[in-house]
């Protein structure tokens, strides 16, 4: 890709000054439209040292409303950031719906650093795949992603460094990392070529920008960004002619629904409602499609799911319960020490029916662990920042660091359970979530995380009995809500969703454990025993004295 880039192109100062202000004004208007349309945008700037990436970003943001964008300057990971999977710190920086985000260097900085330091090539290719998955998940959620590589030759880079080093006020800009890159230009060049080839996609394309002439580079980037945003928002030439002002009111005089899909919001997600076709904009009649008559579809036969085969008659007597409880909790304590010493993050996920006993199982699981070593996350409907971003954002930011536990009482599986059944996620959203979740968990395991997932299963009759018990016991009544009763009415829909979830997300690296929870004592011991087995398989067997 880089060998096709002609780097010695130039642009006169007069041509730049004639075009740049108009593009900056258009970008300002587009910023307002992006906010109204709730479209997050990500602009990634990578390139050779000395290509003035920061000044290019400054050119883009000069006329923008500072409340509508963020600029992130990415440095090598800090010590605390190394305690999490490598994409963790970038997930924390994803833009909220309607916000622009500019990355001065990005996740590709780490990819290049890993390649040029002779890391394991299989691991490097996996990280390239991780980057593509990361971008794909954001793009599927509605984000517009553009990536720029600012390109110069080795001679051009050397001349820039010499000029900077000759100026005492700017010599500090040339770092040791920059000097190393110039000395090993060919080696880095090969790394860049492979990285671009592996991560150039239709949903997050790379743009190679000749950067020897700063005016040419900045104007080219402006043109690409403005063009991409106008295409995404459906802005026409007529709109553009009326939009060059400083107030952002010109485009708002138009009916925004004509230029972009009308949207509805459900649980923080942008939902397409209707899109006006170009023919409708010009008030031209659309061709009438001939109706196609089809025979009624045959009923879809479904195989019995895993939950329909669960034996809910399993019980445990009190003596065995208390004996096993003490033994397994003691083992968990010792394993908790191993988690700390071996610096492995641990993730326990609890899903299941309302009143199935998730809270009681979690309480027994954590009873003997060092309280400094674990965090229990009770997941409810998203709110605030969590609601304004990709649904996985709030789980990435709650991951445990190395050597600690995170226990999720409800989790990312809400996407394919409650959001699916209640209509908070569109069918195409929850259907692609199975792959997104499997990818997410695979990335955690690749980092060294230990994952155990539990589905606590009870019958509808037992759930009704527990609901009535809660209703009649004052200190338990707070647990029962109107929503619990509403969810119970949709039991068949939730059962179908849970069966599909268990089948499609039980993977070799993160399998599900179905817990027969009709008897609480049996369920708690099965959870503890499974947790101990999973941890011992990864950390080594511990023995009680």
């Amino acid at each position: 890709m880089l060998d096709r880039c002609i780097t010695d192109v130039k642009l006169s100062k007069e041509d730049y000054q004639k075009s740049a202000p108009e593009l900056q004004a258009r970008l300002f208007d587009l910023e307002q439209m992006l906010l109204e349309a709730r479209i997050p945008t990500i602009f990634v700037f990578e390139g050779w040292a000395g290509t003035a990436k920061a000044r290019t970003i400054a050119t883009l943001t000069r006329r923008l409303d500072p409340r509508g964008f963020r600029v992130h300057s990415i440095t090598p990971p800090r010590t605390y950031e190394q305690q999490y999977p490598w994409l963790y710190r970038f997930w924390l920086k994803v833009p909220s719906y309607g916000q622009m985000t500019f990355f001065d260097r990005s996740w590709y900085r780490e990819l290049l650093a890993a390649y040029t330091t002779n890391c394991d090539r299989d691991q490097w290719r996996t990280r390239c795949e991780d980057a593509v998955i990361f971008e794909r998940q954001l793009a599927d959620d509605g984000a517009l992603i553009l990536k720029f590589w600012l390109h110069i030759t080795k001679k051009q880079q050397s001349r820039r460094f010499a000029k900077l080093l000759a100026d005492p006020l700017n010599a500090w800009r040339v770092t040791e990392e920059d000097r190393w890159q110039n000395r090993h230009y060919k080696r880095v060049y090969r790394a860049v070529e492979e990285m671009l080839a592996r991560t150039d996609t239709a949903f997050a394309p790379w743009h190679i920008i000749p950067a020897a002439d700063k005016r040419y580079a900045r104007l080219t980037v402006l043109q690409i960004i403005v063009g991409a945003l106008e295409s995404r928002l459906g802005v026409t030439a007529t709109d553009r002619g009326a939009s060059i002002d400083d107030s952002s009111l010109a485009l708002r005089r138009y009916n925004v629904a004509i230029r972009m899909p009308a949207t509805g919001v459900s649980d923080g997600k942008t939902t397409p409602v209707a899109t006006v076709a170009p023919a409708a904009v010009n008030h031209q009649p659309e061709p009438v499609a001939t109706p196609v008559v089809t025979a009624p579809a045959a009923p879809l036969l479904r195989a019995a799911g895993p939950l329909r085969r669960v034996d809910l008659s399993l019980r445990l007597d009190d003596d065995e319960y208390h004996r096993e409880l003490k033994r397994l909790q003691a083992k968990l304590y010792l394993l908790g020490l191993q988690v700390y010493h071996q610096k492995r993050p641990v993730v326990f996920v609890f899903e299941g029916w309302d009143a199935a006993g998730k809270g009681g199982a979690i309480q027994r699981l954590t009873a003997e662990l060092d309280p400094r070593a674990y965090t229990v996350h009770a997941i409810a409907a998203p709110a605030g920042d969590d609601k304004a971003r990709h649904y996985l954002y709030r789980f990435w930011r709650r991951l445990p660091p190395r050597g600690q536990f995170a226990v999720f009482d409800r989790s990312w599986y809400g996407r394919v359970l409650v959001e699916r059944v209640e209509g908070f996620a569109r069918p195409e959203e929850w259907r692609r979530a199975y792959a997104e979740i499997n990818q997410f968990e695979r990335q955690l395991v690749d980092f060294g995380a230990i994952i155990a997932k539990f589905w606590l299963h009870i019958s509808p009759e037992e759930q009704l009995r527990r609901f009535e018990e809660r209703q009649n016991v004052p200190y338990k009544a707070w647990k029962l809500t109107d929503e619990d009763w509403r969810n119970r009415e949709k039991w068949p829909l939730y059962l179908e969703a849970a069966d599909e979830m268990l089948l499609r997300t039980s993977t070799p690296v993160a399998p599900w454990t179905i817990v027969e929870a009709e008897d609480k004592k049996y369920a708690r011991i099965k959870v503890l025993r499974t947790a101990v087995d999973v941890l011992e398989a990864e950390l080594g067997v511990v023995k009680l004295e």
Side-chain angles (χ1 to χ4, degrees):
M1 296 176 75
L2 297 181
D3 61 342
R4 301 293 183 181
C5 181
I6 301 172
T7 60
D8 57 356
V9 289
K10 293 184 180 296
L11 183 72
S12 69
K13 185 176 181 180
E14 293 74 18
D15 288 340
Y16 176 80
Q17 291 177 341
K18 183 171 67 174
S19 301
E22 178 183 342
L23 289 167
Q24 288 172 325
R26 282 159 61 181
L27 188 57
F28 173 81
D29 282 329
L30 291 166
E31 180 188 26
Q32 315 305 314
M33 294 180 65
L34 289 169
L35 183 61
E36 294 171 5
R38 292 175 58 80
I39 297 173
T41 52
I42 298 173
F43 305 119
V44 171
F45 287 86
E46 294 284 352
W48 296 100
T51 50
K53 293 177 286 294
R55 293 187 181 183
T56 301
I57 293 172
T59 300
L60 294 168
T61 59
R62 185 164 294 132
R63 293 285 298 277
L64 297 180
D65 186 331
R67 296 170 296 181
F69 71 87
R70 297 287 185 275
V71 178
H72 298 294
S73 182
I74 301 302
T75 59
R78 297 176 175 86
T79 302
Y80 85 92
E81 291 171 332
Q82 296 175 7
Q83 305 304 308
Y84 298 90
W86 77 283
L87 282 173
Y88 163 84
R89 64 187 183 127
F90 302 109
W91 269 101
L92 298 191
K93 294 175 175 63
V94 298
S96 58
Y97 297 122
Q99 187 181 73
M100 286 182 173
T101 298
F102 299 85
F103 282 93
D104 176 9
R105 307 298 299 267
S106 65
W107 39 100
Y108 291 104
R109 178 175 188 155
E110 287 196 40
L111 281 178
L112 280 178
Y115 189 100
T116 54
T117 53
N118 294 318
C119 80
D120 180 83
R121 284 294 179 264
D122 289 336
Q123 182 188 30
W124 185 81
R125 294 185 186 104
T126 299
R127 286 202 169 189
C128 286
E129 182 184 346
D130 289 344
V132 171
I133 289 170
F134 173 49
E135 294 163 1
R136 178 59 181 265
Q137 290 176 351
L138 296 177
D140 284 346
D141 195 48
L144 174 67
I145 305 172
L146 296 176
K147 302 180 297 194
F148 299 92
W149 179 267
L150 276 58
H151 187 56
I152 54 177
T153 65
K154 182 177 182 179
K155 287 183 179 179
Q156 290 165 344
Q157 186 184 55
S158 299
R159 285 198 297 268
R160 290 195 177 186
F161 285 177
K163 183 177 179 180
L164 289 170
L165 291 170
D167 182 356
L169 296 178
N170 287 307
W172 63 271
R173 296 181 184 276
V174 183
T175 66
E176 186 55 40
E177 181 183 359
D178 297 339
R179 295 169 189 262
W180 185 94
Q181 185 188 90
N182 185 253
R183 291 195 303 269
H184 301 85
Y185 186 92
K186 288 185 179 179
R187 181 177 174 184
V188 179
Y189 186 100
R190 291 193 298 270
V192 172
E193 281 277 28
E194 185 171 354
M195 181 190 76
L196 295 179
R198 288 183 176 275
T199 58
D200 184 46
T201 60
F203 49 83
W206 279 105
H207 297 273
I208 312 301
I209 308 297
D213 181 76
K214 63 182 180 181
R215 288 187 290 267
Y216 179 87
R218 293 167 192 175
L219 192 67
T220 302
V221 170
L222 261 171
Q223 289 173 333
I224 291 172
I225 288 178
V226 169
L229 293 179
E230 288 183 343
S231 176
R232 176 65 177 269
L233 292 164
V235 175
T236 66
T238 302
D239 296 325
R240 277 204 303 272
S243 67
I244 307 305
D245 65 15
D246 291 331
S247 65
S248 80
L249 294 176
L251 285 181
R252 296 186 184 185
R253 289 199 298 268
Y254 289 86
N255 179 2
V256 176
I258 292 177
R259 297 192 309 278
M260 69 184 77
T263 58
V265 178
S266 172
D267 199 32
K269 312 302 288 183
T270 304
T271 307
V273 177
T275 302
V276 181
V281 175
N282 297 323
H283 307 290
Q284 298 173 358
E286 297 185 45
V288 178
T290 303
V292 178
V293 179
T294 58
L300 182 62
L301 298 178
R302 297 185 181 275
L307 294 180
R308 293 174 174 83
R309 300 191 294 270
V310 175
D311 182 3
L312 294 176
S313 65
L314 297 173
R315 297 289 188 273
L316 201 65
D317 62 59
D318 284 348
D319 290 341
E320 185 177 0
Y321 169 72
H322 290 294
R323 184 172 61 254
E324 281 295 284
L325 182 67
K326 290 181 179 179
R327 184 182 72 85
L328 293 170
Q329 286 180 335
K331 278 204 159 193
L332 270 176
Y333 172 78
L334 296 177
L335 287 165
L337 296 178
Q338 289 302 311
V339 166
Y340 175 77
H341 289 303
Q342 297 187 30
K343 299 190 182 305
R344 298 285 298 274
V346 179
V347 176
F348 290 137
V349 173
F350 285 83
E351 294 284 355
W353 299 102
D354 293 330
K358 294 182 291 295
I362 291 171
Q363 188 177 11
R364 273 68 181 183
L365 181 73
T366 60
E368 297 302 325
L369 293 178
D370 186 327
R372 299 169 295 179
Y374 69 85
T375 302
V376 177
H377 300 287
I379 301 300
D385 285 347
D386 291 339
K387 191 174 183 179
R389 289 173 171 81
H390 190 285
Y391 77 97
L392 283 177
Y393 163 82
R394 61 177 175 150
F395 303 108
W396 272 95
R397 74 186 189 94
R398 289 172 169 83
L399 291 178
R402 294 181 184 273
Q404 294 199 18
F405 295 78
V407 182
F408 288 90
D409 181 359
R410 306 290 193 186
S411 67
W412 42 95
Y413 285 99
R415 186 66 156 188
V416 294
L417 292 171
V418 64
E419 291 187 40
R420 165 183 172 171
V421 174
E422 302 298 335
F424 296 139
R426 299 191 299 273
E428 63 269 21
E429 290 178 322
W430 61 256
R431 283 175 183 144
R432 69 170 178 259
Y434 297 116
E436 292 173 340
I437 288 169
N438 289 339
Q439 291 160 353
F440 170 50
E441 293 174 351
R442 192 266 301 163
Q443 289 171 351
L444 299 185
V445 172
D446 285 349
F447 177 68
I450 302 170
I451 301 178
K453 304 183 299 191
F454 302 96
W455 174 271
L456 273 64
H457 190 54
I458 56 176
S459 66
E461 295 77 19
E462 176 63 17
Q463 186 189 60
L464 178 60
R465 188 192 69 77
R466 294 185 185 183
F467 277 8
E468 291 173 344
E469 180 185 39
R470 287 181 176 182
Q471 204 169 30
N472 298 325
V473 178
Y475 68 87
K476 290 185 177 181
W478 66 271
K479 293 184 177 182
L480 191 62
T481 66
D482 292 339
E483 186 179 350
D484 294 332
W485 290 107
R486 286 196 302 271
N487 292 345
R488 179 175 165 77
E489 294 174 1
K490 298 179 180 179
W491 184 283
L493 295 176
Y494 276 102
L495 181 62
E496 180 183 349
D499 272 334
E500 186 170 3
M501 175 198 75
L502 294 169
L503 288 169
R504 298 187 63 177
T505 61
S506 191
T507 61
V509 298
W512 277 101
T513 298
I514 299 175
V515 179
E516 302 84 348
E518 202 93 345
D519 177 64
K520 290 183 178 180
K521 293 189 291 291
Y522 180 89
R524 292 166 184 172
I525 294 303
K526 182 167 183 178
V527 166
L528 285 166
R529 187 176 292 127
T530 303
V532 167
D533 290 345
V534 169
L535 291 173
E536 286 190 329
E538 291 288 332
L539 304 171
V541 176
V542 295
K543 295 184 179 179
L544 301 176
E545 296 296 333

